[in-house]
Amino acid sequence: MKNCLWISLVFTTLSYSEAQRSLLPPVGPTSLRQIVRAYFTIPEGRSSSLNDIRILHFTNSTEPTGTYRLGSVRKILSDPGFDPDKPTVLYAHGYVEFTTDDSVRTIVKAYEQNGGYNILILDWSNIAFGDYTLVSLGVQSAGAEIAKAMVRLVRGGLSREGLHFVGHSMGVHLLGAAARDMAAAGIKVPRLTGLDVAYPGFYPPVLGKAASPADAQFVDMIHTDGGGYGAPHALGHADFWPNGGIAKQPGCVSATIFLTSEDFCSHWRSWGYWAEAVAGSSFWSRQCDDYDAFLRGLCADNPPVRLGPASGTEIRGNFYLRTAATVPYSLGKRGAE
């Protein structure tokens, strides 16, 4: 309680100071949201048990048509609107996030607009809140339980060929752990996509084993805050580096306060770019040695490659592109120039 009061006081002081002077970085009503959430170990109405991890099935972008704990996950197969022959995406949110946050809602809306997938959202918010170190240390055991649930789905009739894991930040490591355990059970996940995979504690793997190209048949990564909240080096079979893959991404304010929502802007751009690509925008890129060579046009002879689910799984290497500062972020073919 004292911590929350202290945080509120800091926010009030910053807001007042910002109103009186223009020297501080911008702050707003949600600026300290991530910090406050780190002090809540269990969201209201949830338990810290691994059995309370849930998978939500969406057929529209508003409310899930079904919510299932891992132990009863096979009921998804009889959920109205679920087509076991369709490709299925399983999306995992990041640290201290709810499934009602903009990140998840934006992803769900994009896949609904796409229309070609069963949409499953992994709700692990019951163990994703609290101390970052403790949450990170629990990723491997949580991944093992998720793997068991997904194996039951596949053996119950879910098409394994169309299974696509997509995670943001620490959610990438969670799905990587699940994919490794699924592989040990004889089911190799076809594709794992990482959206600015969490950096602190995982590279080097002090707090847990990091996601890697060995986790799935094809692993692609999108980097938007490399060296900050996201990892700064290539991690997949294919790695995409919008605007060089580092902060500040276009449209994000240059001066921020550490751990505020404004400071996470570049980290969160990864799911914004991915969602727009899923919904149909074309983010063209080119394979190149580095961003400087890309900007100097030294890779202009390399064929353009699309970031997103339409990229294909045969590509390898590092791919660079430019984006716009506001929605729509896609620059089309110009983004690869």
Side-chain angles (χ1 to χ4, degrees):
M1 183 66 179
K2 290 181 180 179
N3 286 327
C4 293
L5 289 174
W6 180 84
I7 290 170
S8 297
L9 178 61
V10 171
F11 174 70
T12 301
T13 302
L14 290 173
S15 298
Y16 176 78
S17 299
E18 180 67 15
Q20 299 300 313
R21 305 166 65 188
S22 59
L23 299 179
L24 286 175
V27 292
T30 64
S31 292
L32 301 181
R33 186 189 72 176
Q34 305 301 100
I35 301 174
V36 171
R37 286 180 175 184
Y39 285 92
F40 293 89
T41 55
I42 306 174
E44 185 178 357
R46 303 294 294 277
S47 73
S48 59
S49 169
L50 295 178
N51 294 327
D52 199 27
I53 298 175
R54 304 172 184 184
I55 293 180
L56 282 55
H57 174 220
F58 283 84
T59 56
N60 59 65
S61 58
T62 53
E63 296 295 330
T65 57
T67 300
Y68 306 90
R69 286 183 172 85
L70 298 181
S72 58
V73 72
R74 285 188 64 167
K75 292 182 180 179
I76 291 176
L77 298 172
S78 58
D79 192 322
F82 190 90
D83 184 351
D85 295 324
K86 261 187 177 183
T88 297
V89 61
L90 176 68
Y91 177 81
H93 59 77
Y95 170 65
V96 294
E97 284 198 299
F98 288 115
T99 57
T100 53
D101 285 344
D102 287 345
S103 56
V104 178
R105 292 301 191 189
T106 301
I107 290 290
V108 170
K109 184 177 180 181
Y111 276 100
E112 177 63 22
Q113 186 173 337
N114 179 291
Y117 294 82
N118 294 306
I119 309 167
L120 301 182
I121 301 297
L122 182 65
D123 180 0
W124 64 290
S125 58
N126 64 308
I127 59 170
F129 279 59
D131 182 84
Y132 180 90
T133 297
L134 295 178
V135 173
S136 300
L137 290 171
V139 161
Q140 305 304 311
S141 56
E145 295 304 310
I146 294 162
K148 293 175 185 176
M150 295 307 296
V151 167
R152 286 195 291 270
L153 274 180
V154 171
R155 291 178 177 168
L158 178 72
S159 170
R160 76 172 73 187
E161 290 78 14
L163 187 57
H164 187 175
F165 284 1
V166 181
H168 175 246
S169 194
M170 199 186 296
V172 187
H173 298 304
L174 179 64
L175 291 180
R180 288 191 293 273
D181 276 30
M182 289 180 68
I187 299 174
K188 188 84 167 181
V189 174
R191 184 170 182 175
L192 168 64
T193 295
L195 309 179
D196 212 43
V197 58
Y199 181 36
F202 290 94
Y203 304 99
V206 176
L207 301 178
K209 188 172 182 179
S212 78
D215 295 338
Q217 292 174 5
F218 176 68
V219 176
D220 56 328
M221 299 285 187
I222 298 174
H223 304 265
T224 54
D225 191 20
Y229 300 112
H233 45 271
L235 302 169
H237 296 107
D239 289 74
F240 290 85
W241 305 85
N243 311 298
I246 60 174
K248 300 295 185 174
Q249 289 288 309
C252 295
V253 293
S254 58
T256 58
I257 299 171
F258 185 55
L259 293 177
T260 59
S261 295
E262 291 78 13
D263 196 41
F264 280 101
C265 178
S266 294
H267 189 46
W268 291 344
R269 272 290 194 269
S270 57
W271 54 257
Y273 297 156
W274 180 262
E276 195 174 308
V278 168
S281 291
S282 295
F283 287 81
W284 292 100
S285 68
R286 291 186 195 276
Q287 186 179 17
C288 211
D289 290 337
D290 55 48
Y291 191 51
D292 180 65
F294 167 79
L295 291 178
R296 288 191 289 146
L298 301 182
C299 307
D301 291 337
N302 291 337
V305 172
R306 291 177 65 177
L307 172 155
S311 67
T313 59
E314 74 288 345
I315 59 173
R316 297 292 185 271
N318 292 292
F319 299 85
Y320 295 88
L321 66 151
R322 295 182 300 108
T323 72
T326 58
V327 176
Y329 297 118
S330 168
L331 293 175
K333 289 289 181 68
R334 290 189 297 115
E337 297 173 351

